[in-house]
Amino acid sequence: MKLKQKINQYISDALANAAINVEQVNVVEAGKPEFGDYQFNGIMPLAKKLRRNPREIAAEVAEQIDTGGVIRKAEVAGPGFINLWLDDIWLGEETGRILSDPRIGVEKKPDPVKVVIDYSGPNMAKQMHVGHLRSTIIGDTLSNLLTFLGDEVIRQNHIGDWGTQFGMLIAYLEEIGEDTGSENLKDLEQFYKDAKGRFDEDAAFADKAREYVVKIQSGDPHCLVLWKRFIDISLGHCEEIYEKLNVSLAREDVRAESFYNEKLPKVVEALDKKGKLQMSEGAKCVFLEDEEIPVIIQKGDGGYLYATTDLAALWFRSEVLGAKRISYVVDARQAGHFKQVFRVARESGLVGEDVLLEHIAFGTMMDKGGRPFKTREGGTVKLADLLDEAVVRAKEAIKAKDAYDPAALENLARIVGIGAVKYADLSINRESNYIFDWEKMLSLEGNTSLYQQYAYARIMSIFRKYDGEIRGRIVIGNEIEHRLSLLLLRFDDLLERAAKDAAPHQITSYLYDVTTLFMRFYEQNPILKEEVGEETRQSRLALSALTANVIRQGLSILGIGVVERL
RNA sequence: GCACCCAUAGCUCAGCUGGAUAGAGCAUCGCCCUUCUAAGGCGAGGGUCUUAGGUUCGAAUCCUAAUGGGUGUACCA
């Protein structure tokens, strides 16, 4: 339910009835409970234009607000605010309605578009490390979110499978034999080091490696077989990580760098035709106005750079895939690169005017001391290790360890631990640097995934005890039920805004509000106690069930699971 | 040098695009389990929203400058 839109309509109608012209009405959620549920602040800016007293205008408008159904009361306050209270009967009906809706009242977009989301993008020459974490989980969350809202999301995993180091790796793979190689590849870091070692110590090997680069690029069948074998194994490692992370990137989402290889000359040609190319210091470049650094399209030696690949990918995504929104979930440090590439794509007509291009930038992952996240030795932290540690730590943190058999405990620890890692990351504004702190994310207090999971488990516990169908209406009986219902009804508005801003932290923030409010409701409003009347009991059960649905669905968008018991 | 980003409680962060007395969580100090899961709830203290100007009915939010921090800056991705 587009609640805000609905309220806006009421205000628009009232303004029209009061013969006041406003282009855009925008109510906001009231800052304090005593100001009601929503407030309209648009009168004050008007007053000046109309040379009238804002309170007077506000009173005239408030008079016109239909308080027969959705809105119970409209009140003028302060210098000219209009505070709005929603009607309890209406709230009860609406929450009851979305309880029986599998989509929890979240409407599908009337105008869905094709969206390409480019995320994760691991390098096939290296094992996935913490540097890939944020892109992977933020990108996956946005994909889930937009899919849920009805857009046609095309996930694109732009893996790095091309480049000079692959000649070396393939030469080494061939040298030690494919079967041994598959085994050794378990530790890509080591494999890379070993290959590099051979490259440095053995000139013949080095020559062979260079030869392989040329051969791969010219399409030599044998080398391509080896190369594909290497990518396959390496990608398999990534998929294990995705599996652990509960990230839904699959083989068919992979559109590797190499895929664009044959399209690169066409990009150059297209830019040249548009008269965008200029030779500079031997390289083919595009110079943009007000940019001191050109975008190099083709190097002096004929080779291509990643800007060219990105342009080819942009063309492919808009022209072939038909995307109207193309989102890159990439480290904020590449802002300059994307700004330039997007401009080149637009100015050259490679991508149409109607396509939204966005760089979904995120900050760097830091340690507790505010320095880039590294191992104690200063190396990069492998994602596999980090996730294993999360599960181990979660297992440690689970209070009633003894109540579970080992398999159940393992499963629980996985859901809690991985959820904690993801939630901690998703719950802060993606653009700022993010401080990774085990204690905080697994301290299990405050705005964490476990707090949500705990609330969910508590609700499940109520239903285990009740063991029956909900068969009554929702009847708002007090202030806290009023606020909880209203918050649950805002789910649609919230998701819409989070999607527009590509901001997962708005979802966690919302879920935290829901959970906190539910905890208060739970403490103050007995449900299954003897003294509670049947109508009230059914109403509270329904509100609890709806809260559980919102938590489960919200966490599901974040790629985080819930458990029945904790 | 130039460009971009950031600065809110001791710490980690919100603040819905300009609204009313700036909010949470940690941490600190109280209170609440014979009661649906206390991994919880209730309460207290804690702020010159980095600084100085400006815009206007109204600024943490917009504009300018300063300070401090981060990042990027032509043939790597």
Side-chain angles (χ1 to χ4, degrees):
Chain A
M1 129 133 356
K2 306 285 184 216
L3 188 50
K4 196 177 257 191
Q5 201 177 307
K6 199 175 196 70
I7 312 292
N8 281 339
Q9 192 55 51
Y10 276 83
I11 302 297
S12 286
D13 292 347
L15 285 162
N17 288 342
I20 292 168
N21 203 0
V22 180
E23 324 76 77
Q24 181 119 44
V25 171
N26 192 23
V27 295
V28 297
E29 290 158 19
K32 289 173 194 294
E34 59 262 38
F35 298 154
D37 299 323
Y38 284 90
Q39 58 184 76
F40 178 58
N41 305 329
I43 298 293
M44 277 97 68
L46 261 170
K48 179 119 185 173
K49 243 187 282 173
L50 301 174
R51 294 170 185 251
R52 292 185 52 196
N53 179 328
R55 275 195 71 101
E56 236 171 65
I57 305 174
E60 279 172 29
V61 174
E63 181 74 15
Q64 295 296 330
I65 294 172
D66 174 7
T67 51
V70 179
I71 296 169
R72 176 172 61 84
K73 187 171 74 167
E75 208 172 75
V76 177
F81 299 101
I82 299 178
N83 294 337
L84 305 165
W85 281 262
L86 301 195
D87 184 76
D88 278 341
I89 293 170
W90 183 79
L91 279 177
E93 283 168 1
E94 289 304 311
T95 42
R97 199 177 57 72
I98 67 170
L99 175 61
S100 57
D101 176 5
R103 293 185 58 81
I104 321 176
V106 179
E107 295 165 20
K108 284 218 176 195
K109 278 178 71 172
D111 53 343
V113 289
K114 279 194 186 177
V115 185
V116 161
I117 303 184
D118 180 317
Y119 68 103
S120 195
N123 191 314
M124 292 295 107
K126 289 179 188 163
Q127 195 154 343
M128 284 184 84
H129 55 86
V130 293
H132 299 110
L133 183 63
R134 302 204 75 191
S135 173
T136 304
I137 68 187
I138 294 169
D140 200 56
T141 291
L142 293 175
S143 303
N144 294 339
L145 176 59
L146 295 188
T147 301
F148 185 63
L149 295 182
D151 281 331
E152 186 184 332
V153 173
I154 306 169
R155 297 165 195 248
Q156 293 279 277
N157 194 358
H158 191 82
I159 63 170
D161 67 342
W162 209 242
T164 48
Q165 74 267 47
F166 286 95
M168 184 176 87
L169 295 169
I170 285 153
Y172 187 61
L173 183 62
E174 192 195 46
E175 187 173 272
I176 63 175
E178 266 190 54
D179 293 338
T180 328
S182 308
E183 190 56 36
N184 288 23
L185 268 169
K186 277 194 178 138
D187 190 342
L188 266 174
E189 230 52 41
Q190 194 54 47
F191 189 90
Y192 184 90
K193 269 186 204 160
D194 292 345
K196 185 80 164 62
R198 292 283 296 125
F199 186 89
D200 290 340
E201 82 195 0
D202 186 342
F205 180 89
D207 285 341
K208 198 163 194 181
R210 286 192 202 95
E211 225 171 86
Y212 273 3
V213 175
V214 179
K215 276 189 173 175
I216 300 164
Q217 300 194 340
S218 60
D220 175 90
H222 174 66
C223 286
L224 278 183
V225 166
L226 282 177
W227 171 72
K228 278 186 180 143
R229 174 93 186 116
F230 179 83
I231 300 303
D232 191 52
I233 295 167
S234 185
L235 200 50
H237 291 169
C238 295
E239 282 162 351
E240 279 173 31
I241 302 269
Y242 296 151
E243 171 80 29
K244 272 187 193 171
L245 267 177
N246 191 22
V247 157
S248 46
L249 273 174
R251 227 14 107 103
E252 61 262 31
D253 301 318
V254 171
R255 193 87 62 173
E257 268 184 303
S258 60
F259 172 79
Y260 299 101
N261 218 44
E262 59 183 36
K263 298 168 182 68
L264 301 181
K266 290 177 190 157
V267 170
V268 178
E269 199 181 310
L271 292 175
D272 200 21
K273 241 183 221 165
K274 288 275 177 183
K276 292 284 175 192
L277 285 187
Q278 230 172 295
M279 290 299 286
S280 174
E281 297 176 30
K284 289 180 183 165
C285 303
V286 176
F287 283 85
L288 294 161
E289 217 179 312
D290 299 323
E291 292 277 346
E292 56 178 325
I293 296 150
V295 181
I296 299 180
I297 302 298
Q298 192 170 17
K299 298 197 283 185
D301 66 3
Y304 300 98
L305 287 102
Y306 74 137
T308 323
T309 311
D310 278 337
L311 286 167
L314 277 168
W315 171 82
F316 179 79
R317 290 162 182 187
S318 77
E319 290 304 312
V320 180
L321 297 179
K324 291 297 170 208
R325 177 176 177 180
I326 305 176
S327 308
Y328 286 83
V329 187
V330 180
D331 193 297
R333 283 174 289 201
Q334 300 208 26
H337 164 73
F338 282 110
K339 194 178 158 207
Q340 287 195 317
V341 167
F342 290 167
R343 271 189 69 185
V344 172
R346 277 212 197 287
E347 291 180 15
S348 64
L350 226 49
V351 168
E353 290 293 330
D354 59 335
V355 180
L356 172 68
L357 304 179
E358 60 183 351
H359 173 208
I360 316 267
F362 55 83
T364 311
M365 195 159 136
M366 305 295 211
D367 64 21
K368 240 176 131 174
R371 304 146 74 122
F373 197 79
K374 293 274 169 65
T375 59
R376 209 167 298 167
E377 293 76 33
T380 51
V381 178
K382 291 176 199 160
L383 212 36
D385 294 345
L386 184 97
L387 299 181
D388 288 346
E389 187 172 353
V391 175
V392 170
R393 282 181 182 257
K395 206 180 290 177
E396 250 349 274
I398 288 165
K399 214 175 156 193
K401 283 194 268 301
D402 304 335
Y404 302 91
D405 65 72
L409 182 62
E410 184 65 31
N411 185 47
L412 182 60
R414 206 181 56 80
I415 293 173
V416 169
I418 300 297
V421 169
K422 296 178 82 172
Y423 193 96
D425 190 325
L426 294 167
S427 63
I428 66 142
N429 182 344
R430 61 178 160 76
E431 296 197 56
S432 39
N433 287 341
Y434 154 53
I435 294 181
F436 188 93
D437 180 352
W438 283 116
E439 266 96 81
K440 199 184 157 198
M441 74 178 76
L442 283 159
S443 79
L444 322 178
E445 282 168 334
N447 188 10
T448 64
S449 57
L450 193 85
Y451 183 74
Q452 318 284 343
Q453 287 164 335
Y454 175 61
Y456 184 83
R458 268 183 136 177
I459 297 171
M460 292 303 107
S461 170
I462 297 169
F463 283 99
R464 272 197 299 278
K465 188 155 282 188
Y466 171 67
D467 193 26
E469 292 290 302
I470 300 172
R471 37 172 202 279
R473 299 177 298 127
I474 292 178
V475 182
I476 308 298
N478 55 46
E479 177 65 22
I480 203 150
E481 291 180 351
H482 175 96
R483 290 178 55 195
L484 184 58
S485 309
L486 175 60
L487 192 55
L488 294 168
L489 282 174
R490 284 176 178 163
F491 193 41
D492 194 358
D493 283 346
L494 174 277
L495 292 181
E496 190 185 19
R497 187 164 71 91
K500 183 172 118 323
D501 298 342
H505 86 278
Q506 291 177 7
I507 301 175
T508 61
S509 188
Y510 169 81
L511 287 177
Y512 185 56
D513 286 345
V514 167
T515 306
T516 311
L517 203 49
F518 176 79
M519 289 291 197
R520 293 174 59 190
F521 162 80
Y522 176 92
E523 300 273 341
Q524 293 171 29
N525 298 279
I527 300 170
L528 302 179
K529 301 290 158 56
E530 289 283 331
E531 74 272 18
V532 180
E534 188 57 20
E535 185 182 70
T536 305
R537 171 173 304 156
Q538 289 300 326
S539 171
R540 290 180 180 167
L541 279 169
L543 264 180
S544 301
L546 181 57
T547 302
N549 290 350
V550 167
I551 293 174
R552 193 193 325 104
Q553 181 60 53
L555 288 179
S556 157
I557 288 170
L558 305 175
I560 296 172
V562 289
V563 291
E564 299 291 308
R565 230 182 270 264
L566 200 58

